[in-house]
Amino acid sequence: MEMVQQFQDKMTTYNSLVLLFVLALALNESSVVIGRKHVYVGNDLGEGLILNLHCKSKDDDLGNHQLSYRQNYTWGFKSTFFGSTLFWCNFQWGNVRDSHEVFNAAEKEMQDKTNNLWLTRQDGLYYYNHDDDEYQLKYEWGKTKNEGN
């Protein structure tokens, strides 16, 4: 009887270790998600101006895209449970070359929205404010977000 009890105790310990291992793997995977998100980046630079766009995250390179006036590029993804999802884009048009975050799960404003909408205009990158129902200048070209935007 004592031998059966020892076996059951070892199995309980083994099962607990397996469960902890599986949970650790699950938490480490980006498949542990809290919801599907979409990012839209549109060209509102003006007639005849082409926007060259290259967006990526730590894990995904979405490639190069050329957007004509009033075209947009969009993609969907699942944000990680720990709020570590980050996408940024390199923008190029005319003499302007710049790079900015377009989704950062650490920013509540972006994390709370299913659709994150951006427009490129000649003075900068605009983010759609859902509460005010309008696009607002988020980044001026050539300035980082810490320079007053």
Side-chain angles (χ1 to χ4, degrees):
M1 188 70 167
E2 185 176 320
M3 194 175 220
V4 170
Q5 184 62 44
Q6 287 176 347
F7 177 75
Q8 288 176 338
D9 290 344
K10 285 182 181 180
M11 287 306 295
T12 301
T13 301
Y14 174 78
N15 289 342
S16 297
L17 289 173
V18 168
L19 179 61
L20 284 173
F21 179 72
V22 168
L23 285 173
L25 283 175
L27 290 174
N28 192 40
E29 290 296 316
S30 63
S31 61
V32 178
V33 296
I34 57 175
R36 191 144 182 91
K37 306 290 181 187
H38 293 91
V39 174
Y40 298 81
V41 179
N43 177 350
D44 195 31
L45 294 167
E47 195 68 44
L49 293 174
I50 302 293
L51 173 65
N52 294 294
L53 186 67
H54 186 181
C55 301
K56 54 188 163 181
S57 71
K58 181 182 81 166
D59 299 320
D60 298 302
D61 186 332
L62 304 177
N64 294 308
H65 302 275
Q66 286 192 334
L67 304 180
S68 297
Y69 179 55
R70 294 196 174 158
Q71 281 188 321
N72 72 63
Y73 176 68
T74 185
W75 68 96
F77 57 94
K78 292 187 177 183
S79 185
T80 63
F81 177 76
F82 293 108
S84 61
T85 304
L86 174 68
F87 278 93
W88 67 94
C89 294
N90 297 317
F91 301 87
Q92 189 277 316
W93 64 275
N95 293 326
V96 174
R97 291 184 189 278
D98 213 339
S99 180
H100 291 288
E101 294 176 357
V102 293
F103 183 86
N104 185 342
E107 289 191 30
K108 185 169 176 34
E109 178 182 20
M110 292 182 191
Q111 181 60 41
D112 287 350
K113 304 300 180 216
T114 301
N115 296 312
N116 289 269
L117 312 171
W118 295 91
L119 279 180
T120 55
R121 293 183 173 154
Q122 291 193 22
D123 58 342
L125 187 59
Y126 285 71
Y127 182 72
Y128 184 75
N129 182 316
H130 292 267
D131 296 330
D132 295 339
D133 194 28
E134 68 180 6
Y135 284 91
Q136 297 173 340
L137 182 62
K138 180 93 169 176
Y139 305 115
E140 289 182 49
W141 299 125
K143 295 185 179 182
T144 64
K145 78 178 192 181
N146 295 329
E147 291 180 343
N149 286 343

